[in-house]
């Protein structure tokens, strides 16, 4: 992160101002942004993969790993700016930030281009980027429709996290036996797990914004057809039945299935990460259950604006 901040300080004045505004959205210390409790392990996974591969005799230099990490963070920031502008134009989204996002993408691709990566890597990276773009737009359209939102469709949209495949492709590039399908399956399932949690943590904000997420569509299915488009009816159903808890229980089961996938890829610390993540999801589960029971006993409705908020 320090390297990225130095790059931003070297930008010409207008871009430098945009970058300072962007950094302010990441909190008081941007260096810990990717280590927040509910942040996906985007930068940790390539580090853990390198650790695991080193223990098996594989070698990747510190300079190469740092370049991969910097490129990954820049690509993530590029996508975050896009999401803010597309999904929340009235609040987080600032169209001028797209110009900064252009610089982030250019510099990320430049950092990767500086590495001795194969044509195979670039073919895989380009495919991952196309998947990210396509599924992000497909999900955006789905969120605005009053049409069924099936589990299969949710799993497909969760592939928008394909960006996270790219640093793992880079780490594995020197290994001719590197299994692309194994990386894709691992990342896709992580995307599903974090997507379910985001639906739970952001449910109230999504209701206020009229975003029909997989969770909200699932809750609507429990209602009579004439009431499915009524946010108040959805809130009452959330209060009455354990939809949030069921989603979080799915997340715990997913993480238990994800662990051996990561271990098979040689990713170190998968056991520790999985235990920590399950503990965190259990924390959200306990909070959801406590909130629902307390509101039911008090006779109060679902709290507007009371959701914990997804990691952004």
């Amino acid at each position: 992160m320090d390297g990225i901040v130095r790059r931003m300080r070297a930008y010409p004045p207008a871009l430098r101002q945009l970058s300072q505004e962007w950094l302010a959205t990441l909190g008081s210390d941007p260096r810990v942004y990717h280590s927040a409790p509910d942040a996906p392990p985007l930068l940790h996974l390539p580090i853990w993969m390198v650790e695991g591969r080193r223990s098996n005799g594989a070698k990747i230099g510190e300079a190469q790993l740092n370049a991969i990490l910097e490129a990954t963070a820049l690509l993530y920031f590029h996508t975050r700016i896009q999401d803010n502008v597309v999904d929340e134009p009235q609040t987080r989204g600032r169209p001028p930030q797209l110009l900064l996002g252009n610089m982030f993408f250019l510099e990320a691709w430049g950092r990767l281009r500086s590495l001795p990566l194969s044509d195979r890597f670039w073919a895989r990276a380009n495919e991952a980027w196309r998947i990210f773009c396509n599924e992000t737009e497909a999900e955006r359209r789905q969120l605005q429709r009053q049409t069924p939102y099936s589990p299969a469709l949710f799993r497909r949209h969760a592939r928008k996290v394909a960006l996270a495949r790219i640093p793992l492709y880079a780490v594995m590039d020197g290994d001719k036996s590197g299994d692309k399908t194994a990386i894709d399956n691992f990342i896709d399932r992580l995307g599903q797990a974090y997507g379910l949690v985001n639906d739970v943590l952001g449910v109230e904000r999504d209701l206020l914004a009229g975003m029909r997420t997989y969770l909200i569509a699932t809750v609507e299915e429990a209602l009579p057809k004439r009431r499915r488009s009524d946010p108040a009816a959805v809130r009452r159903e959330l209060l009455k039945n354990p939809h949030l808890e069921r989603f979080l229980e799915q997340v715990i089961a997913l993480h238990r299935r994800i662990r051996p996938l990561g271990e098979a890829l040689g990713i170190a610390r998968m056991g520790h990460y999985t235990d920590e993540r399950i503990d965190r999801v259990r924390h959200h589960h306990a909070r959801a259950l406590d909130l629902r029971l307390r509101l039911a006993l008090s006779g109060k409705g679902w709290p507007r604006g009371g959701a914990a908020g997804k990691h952004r």
Side-chain angles (χ1 to χ4, degrees):
M1 191 66 198
D2 290 341
I4 293 175
V5 172
R6 285 194 296 271
R7 283 174 177 271
M8 292 180 183
R9 288 172 179 164
Y11 286 165
L15 277 175
R16 187 164 63 247
Q17 179 63 39
L18 284 175
S19 68
Q20 290 169 350
E21 294 169 0
W22 166 250
L23 285 174
T25 69
L26 304 183
S28 57
D29 187 354
R31 292 172 298 180
V32 302
Y33 176 78
H34 288 286
S35 298
D38 287 303
L42 184 65
L43 297 184
H44 297 82
L45 290 176
I47 296 172
W48 296 339
M49 178 177 271
V50 167
E51 288 180 6
R53 286 169 57 77
R54 281 175 179 162
S55 67
N56 293 326
K59 295 181 180 179
I60 184 169
E62 183 177 348
Q64 183 171 352
L65 176 59
N66 286 340
I68 292 170
L69 295 176
E70 188 170 309
T72 303
L74 286 165
L75 287 175
Y76 176 79
F77 291 156
H78 166 78
T79 65
R80 184 80 280 131
I81 288 171
Q82 276 193 160
D83 282 354
N84 288 347
V85 172
V86 173
D87 295 342
E88 302 180 65
Q90 305 303 322
T91 53
R92 297 173 185 267
R94 292 193 61 243
Q97 290 284 343
L98 292 170
L99 299 170
L100 180 64
N102 290 344
M103 283 299 300
F104 288 164
F105 180 84
L106 181 67
E107 294 198 341
W109 235 233
R111 289 295 277 152
L112 292 173
R113 283 289 181 190
S114 71
L115 300 175
L117 296 169
S118 68
D119 290 343
R120 181 185 72 166
F121 164 80
W122 286 107
R124 292 175 172 183
N126 289 339
E127 179 193 20
W129 197 254
R130 284 193 298 270
I131 291 170
F132 149 69
C133 293
N134 185 72
E135 298 308 331
T136 298
E137 172 59 10
E139 182 191 49
R140 185 192 69 80
R141 295 183 182 194
Q142 176 65 36
L143 296 180
Q144 298 174 349
R145 294 173 178 162
Q146 292 295 322
T147 55
Y149 202 162
S150 68
L153 196 54
F154 167 77
R155 290 192 295 270
R156 182 173 182 84
H157 292 163
R159 298 196 312 152
K160 68 180 183 178
V161 301
L163 158 65
R165 301 176 184 180
I166 295 176
L168 302 191
Y169 292 158
V171 171
M172 294 283 283
D173 191 48
D175 183 353
K176 291 184 179 180
S177 65
D179 190 341
K180 175 184 181 297
T181 301
I183 290 174
D184 296 350
N185 288 339
F186 172 67
I187 294 299
D188 288 354
R189 281 161 178 74
L190 275 176
Q192 294 164 28
Y194 280 88
L196 292 171
V197 171
N198 277 346
D199 274 10
V200 170
L201 298 187
V203 62
E204 178 57 26
R205 192 169 74 186
D206 292 331
L207 280 168
L208 290 171
M211 305 292 276
R212 192 169 171 272
T213 64
Y214 178 51
L215 169 61
I216 292 172
T218 301
V219 175
E220 287 178 355
E221 287 297 315
L223 297 171
K225 285 186 178 181
R226 69 180 185 280
R227 296 168 57 198
R228 289 178 181 175
S229 60
D230 179 5
V234 172
R235 291 184 177 94
R236 287 193 294 271
E237 177 62 22
L238 283 166
L239 183 60
K240 180 181 177 183
N241 289 307
H243 296 282
L244 303 182
E245 295 97 305
R246 288 172 186 159
F247 262 52
L248 294 171
E249 287 158 11
Q250 289 182 53
V251 174
I252 291 172
L254 260 174
H255 276 293
R256 287 177 175 148
R257 294 197 295 272
I258 290 166
R259 175 177 176 171
L261 300 180
E263 290 173 340
L265 285 168
I267 297 176
R269 309 192 191 191
M270 275 304 299
H272 179 70
Y273 159 75
T274 301
D275 290 344
E276 278 198 343
R277 188 61 192 155
I278 287 176
D279 284 345
R280 180 66 179 174
V281 176
R282 283 176 174 153
H283 163 77
H284 291 314
H285 187 284
R287 286 189 63 191
L289 175 61
D290 177 68
L291 174 65
R292 203 166 54 79
L293 292 178
R294 282 192 294 106
L295 292 174
L297 290 171
S298 69
K300 296 179 180 179
W302 188 263
R304 289 178 177 265
K310 63 187 80 173
H311 180 77
R312 300 286 297 187

